[in-house]
Amino acid sequence: MMFTRQICLLFLLTFAIDGWAENPKDESKQLLFGDTHLHTSLSFDAFLNSNRSAGPETAYRWAKGLPVIHPFTKARVQINEPLDFLVIADHAEGMGFVKSYIQDDVALPDLGWWGNLKRWIALQVLTNAMEDEQDGSDVFASVLPKAPAKVGGDPVQDANNSLEDALGDTSVIETHVWHQSVDAAERHNQPGVFTTFAGWEWSSIPVGANLHRVVFTPDGPDKTKQFLPYGSDDSQYPQDLWAWLQQLEQRDGTRFLAIPHNSNISKGYMFAETTLKGEPMTADYAQVRMKWEPVVEITQYKGDSETHPDLSPDDEFADFETYKHYIQQIVKSYKVAKADYVRSGLMTGLTLEAQTGVNPFQFGLIGSTDSHTGLAAYEEPNYWGKFGRDSIPSAKTNDGIVAGGPSGWDMGAQGLAAVWATENTRDAIFAAFKRREVYATTGPRMKVRLFAGWDFTEADLASPDFARIGYRKGVPMGSHLVGHKEGETPRFMIRAVKGPNNANLDRVQVIKGWLDASGQVQEKVYDVAWSGERTLDAAGKLPPVGNTVNLTDGRYDNRIGSAELVALWQDPEFDATERAFYYVRVLQIPTARHSTLDAIALGVKPSVRHPQTIQERAYTSPVWYSPR
């Protein structure tokens, strides 16, 4: 069963300017947009790469819609649409140390003559570098991890080079800075209007394998000032991070979430079938990972981690913002691994569930920025670079921090975390993350609903009480679909509305992954709703929507696409004996990429290494099905 028509008369009667006019008394959740991954000048790499001034105060002011001063260009800048919530996630490792030493002339603890000498040498290098606004990037490059001597095995055992090796004990300064960060979050938290969370990034990157997690808590300073954020200088194993979170939960009742990101550059470790130490995956390990990591960041500046053309050759939209640069001193060729991508990770989870009884990769999906400018800039026309040093068009064409590394144009202007929450408060948003009722967008503010059930009808789809019916007769995104009866097939109610200030929608797709009878994982992409009068061809493919982008000025128009798409879809190949997951991908019509807008502004030819236009998108958290 498939409903692909554009909005009919019944829908037009219920449509409002901001989307569907659902009955407020039946709509128990509101849609909130935020960024859970923002760095300020307190992160050492942000500071070394020309963000010397945009700290937490600037970050919160920008997110709330106020004009601020850009840390590198010194221009007045402003977000177009304020955020609803923000997590400042400065690196735990040496948090605020470099900034404090260079700008605040802080007192340093005694490390003994040898420790003091090593630190003095390191700090002299830093001080000299700060005399040039951009030279700090060379110092940053020197502390990046080196390439491994061998491939595979436990990457932590081969880990080398750490900023803390030279700086020694930085905990006194880190504690002071952490408390300042917590206080800033408290000052800017406005329940019901704008929500802040205390958070940080655990930045494990042994031999250049990205294992980073953002950690945040909904709790206040009575609990958050009782600890110093756990960093990779404490341990580079995620299991040790989870154990530390468990200890604080038991000791103080502090609540946490950890969000992995940039699995695309994890060198095959993020969603592997074994633990980081190469040990077999167990049910206990899977339970612990599920508890602390219910959500994954699928899209951000350093690329999109949904899938890769080599892994999903039949998916014509798989090659989106594909990022091929490891975080290490020496540039190495990028190698695709299935454990690096979310879709294949979800499929691996089905296999592990069949083996152990628990799925360690049953996670929801969000987007965020990973901006290091203190500005959560996720829009193509208002993108201000990952670092201060690459925030102007003329600098984005240069090599990155290391020779041959990523340029500013290699970064993608994305993304956002979308949350269905009962209210705009810490507890409500945290609860939505825990139950995985969240989704990712690459920047546009698409409003997306997904419900799965057994007996939805087209009347349900057309009802102004769409959401109430969805919750009553089914389950939302992020849930497990249960209650199967013989002969039943799951049905999915889907609604997608374009952002108020964004481009029209091209299509809605359902991505299914399943474990077949032979124990092999499979995947398939279904087009379930689309704009215009297009029809599927003999191979089941939908023709392109077209492209209205004017490459002389970067503008597009909405004469193609639809403002809203809806679908009631039934899986035509459902097998009740097979484990499966389903998530929705919504595609916009093409719009200009930020690199194209830069080229137009500079009066140069567009980059041949980057697409001139892109199709922004949203990814919902999956719904899972398991046989009884």
Side-chain angles (χ1 to χ4, degrees):
M1 181 184 299
M2 182 166 62
F3 185 95
T4 61
R5 297 183 295 277
Q6 295 185 36
I7 311 306
C8 65
L9 179 60
L10 175 61
F11 296 155
L12 289 172
L13 292 173
T14 61
F15 186 80
I17 292 177
D18 61 346
W20 283 70
E22 293 167 344
N23 188 339
K25 70 179 181 181
D26 294 328
E27 178 61 277
S28 60
K29 297 187 177 74
Q30 58 183 290
L31 180 59
L32 305 173
F33 288 98
D35 186 356
T36 61
H37 189 176
L38 181 74
H39 294 266
T40 75
S41 57
L42 298 180
S43 287
F44 76 93
D45 55 342
F47 189 85
L48 292 174
N49 284 283
S50 303
N51 177 6
R52 310 286 163 76
S53 58
E57 289 294 325
T58 297
Y60 289 128
R61 287 172 56 84
W62 163 276
K64 292 161 75 171
L66 298 173
V68 299
I69 301 301
H70 190 280
F72 182 72
T73 68
K74 309 307 180 186
R76 173 173 50 81
V77 293
Q78 189 170 14
I79 196 172
N80 288 326
E81 294 181 81
L83 298 178
D84 297 307
F85 62 92
L86 181 66
V87 178
I88 290 180
D90 284 310
H91 295 290
E93 300 81 10
M95 182 184 291
F97 181 88
V98 175
K99 183 178 189 297
S100 296
Y101 177 79
I102 298 298
Q103 294 185 341
D104 301 335
D105 193 26
V106 297
L108 300 176
D110 183 14
L111 302 177
W113 74 271
W114 178 238
N116 289 340
L117 177 60
K118 288 196 299 180
R119 182 176 62 197
W120 180 83
I121 294 172
L123 290 175
Q124 285 301 114
V125 173
L126 286 174
T127 302
N128 292 338
M130 294 306 103
E131 294 177 0
D132 185 310
E133 186 71 15
Q134 296 193 44
D135 276 351
S137 61
D138 295 331
V139 178
F140 174 58
S142 73
V143 299
L144 290 176
K146 297 176 182 177
K150 63 181 187 297
V151 177
D154 182 346
V156 175
Q157 296 301 315
D158 272 349
N160 45 48
N161 216 334
S162 168
L163 184 66
E164 285 72 30
D165 289 344
L167 297 182
D169 182 14
T170 59
S171 60
V172 173
I173 295 173
E174 289 174 30
T175 300
H176 174 69
V177 170
W178 170 245
H179 287 185
Q180 287 183 321
S181 184
V182 168
D183 291 341
E186 290 303 304
R187 285 194 301 273
H188 288 274
N189 191 47
Q190 299 172 271
V193 178
F194 179 75
T195 297
T196 65
F197 295 87
W200 71 93
E201 181 174 330
W202 176 80
S203 311
S204 176
I205 190 164
V207 299
N210 186 90
L211 305 175
H212 294 191
R213 270 83 168 167
V214 167
V215 183
F216 77 90
T217 171
D219 293 318
D222 59 320
K223 293 180 179 177
T224 53
K225 288 188 177 182
Q226 301 304 311
F227 62 83
L228 184 63
Y230 192 87
S232 62
D233 47 342
D234 295 300
S235 174
Q236 297 206 68
Y237 292 107
Q239 299 98 309
D240 293 336
L241 169 65
W242 305 331
W244 182 85
L245 297 176
Q246 181 68 36
Q247 290 173 4
L248 284 190
E249 180 185 69
Q250 293 174 343
R251 189 190 75 183
D252 302 327
T254 312
R255 297 164 292 172
F256 295 102
L257 284 179
I259 306 175
H261 67 84
N262 279 122
S263 61
N264 56 341
I265 50 174
S266 71
K267 297 188 175 182
Y269 287 103
M270 189 67 81
F271 305 125
E273 296 185 18
T274 62
T275 71
L276 189 60
K277 297 179 180 180
E279 302 163 339
M281 194 77 70
T282 65
D284 288 343
Y285 175 96
Q287 290 280 13
V288 171
R289 181 163 182 157
M290 283 179 60
K291 174 181 178 178
W292 297 114
E293 299 185 355
V295 170
V296 164
E297 184 182 292
I298 192 174
T299 193
Q300 63 129 276
Y301 284 5
K302 295 197 300 297
D304 196 87
S305 296
E306 184 207 7
T307 191
H308 188 280
D310 290 357
L311 301 173
S312 303
D314 295 329
D315 184 352
E316 61 191 302
F317 297 102
D319 191 12
F320 176 74
E321 294 294 352
T322 302
Y323 188 81
K324 304 176 181 178
H325 305 277
Y326 298 119
I327 305 174
Q328 58 190 45
Q329 290 187 26
I330 301 173
V331 174
K332 295 288 185 180
S333 297
Y334 183 76
K335 295 182 179 180
V336 179
K338 70 175 186 176
D340 287 344
Y341 286 88
V342 163
R343 189 186 299 176
S344 49
L346 289 167
M347 291 192 288
T348 296
L350 299 179
T351 300
L352 292 170
E353 182 184 23
Q355 295 172 353
T356 68
V358 184
N359 183 349
F361 304 139
Q362 191 167 306
F363 45 70
L365 305 176
I366 63 160
S368 281
T369 65
D370 196 11
S371 168
H372 281 57
T373 62
L375 313 178
Y378 55 86
E379 305 153 303
E380 302 290 332
N382 197 27
Y383 175 59
W384 289 98
K386 178 178 174 64
F387 295 107
R389 66 189 299 273
D390 65 0
S391 59
I392 55 177
S394 60
K396 291 181 185 176
T397 60
N398 302 333
D399 271 355
I401 294 166
V402 297
S407 71
W409 281 359
D410 289 325
M411 303 292 175
Q414 53 202 41
L416 281 175
V419 176
W420 286 107
T422 55
E423 58 184 0
N424 190 357
T425 63
R426 288 174 175 172
D427 284 346
I429 295 172
F430 187 78
F433 271 81
K434 290 286 285 184
R435 66 175 181 269
R436 301 183 295 263
E437 198 173 354
V438 297
Y439 64 94
T441 91
T442 56
R445 298 199 177 198
M446 304 177 202
K447 182 179 182 181
V448 185
R449 284 283 205 186
L450 167 63
F451 293 100
W454 303 106
D455 57 357
F456 290 132
T457 67
E458 290 196 8
D460 296 333
L461 186 71
S463 172
D465 292 330
F466 174 96
R468 182 179 61 83
I469 293 171
Y471 287 115
R472 179 171 58 84
K473 296 176 65 174
V475 295
M477 63 181 75
S479 302
H480 209 103
L481 182 60
V482 296
H484 174 260
K485 297 178 182 177
E486 187 173 354
E488 288 184 323
T489 300
R491 298 182 179 189
F492 300 85
M493 283 206 308
I494 305 162
R495 178 194 301 161
V497 182
K498 83 176 191 70
N501 300 313
N502 301 132
N504 275 346
L505 306 181
D506 166 16
R507 68 186 74 191
V508 174
Q509 300 176 309
V510 172
I511 287 80
K512 177 186 178 183
W514 71 98
L515 186 67
D516 68 20
S518 67
Q520 300 299 308
V521 290
Q522 308 289 343
E523 65 175 270
K524 190 168 184 177
V525 179
Y526 298 89
D527 289 303
V528 302
W530 53 85
S531 64
E533 302 302 320
R534 295 172 289 169
T535 58
L536 299 174
D537 64 19
K541 294 293 186 180
L542 186 68
V545 68
N547 193 326
T548 66
V549 177
N550 183 337
L551 294 178
T552 63
D553 61 17
R555 292 187 172 93
Y556 68 91
D557 65 65
N558 277 329
R559 67 178 181 269
I560 61 173
S562 294
E564 182 166 5
L565 294 171
V566 296
L568 177 61
W569 181 76
Q570 184 171 315
D571 182 357
E573 301 174 83
F574 177 69
D575 186 330
T577 67
E578 297 175 345
R579 304 174 192 277
F581 64 81
Y582 305 83
Y583 66 90
V584 167
R585 183 171 66 187
V586 182
L587 301 179
Q588 271 192 175
I589 65 171
T591 53
R593 192 176 188 269
H594 70 90
S595 52
T596 301
L597 298 174
D598 284 345
I600 293 171
L602 292 168
V604 300
K605 292 182 179 180
S607 166
V608 298
R609 296 194 299 112
H610 305 93
Q612 294 186 60
T613 63
I614 57 174
Q615 287 192 254
E616 304 264 22
R617 54 201 62 193
Y619 307 107
T620 71
S621 292
V623 171
W624 289 265
Y625 167 80
S626 298
R628 287 184 293 178

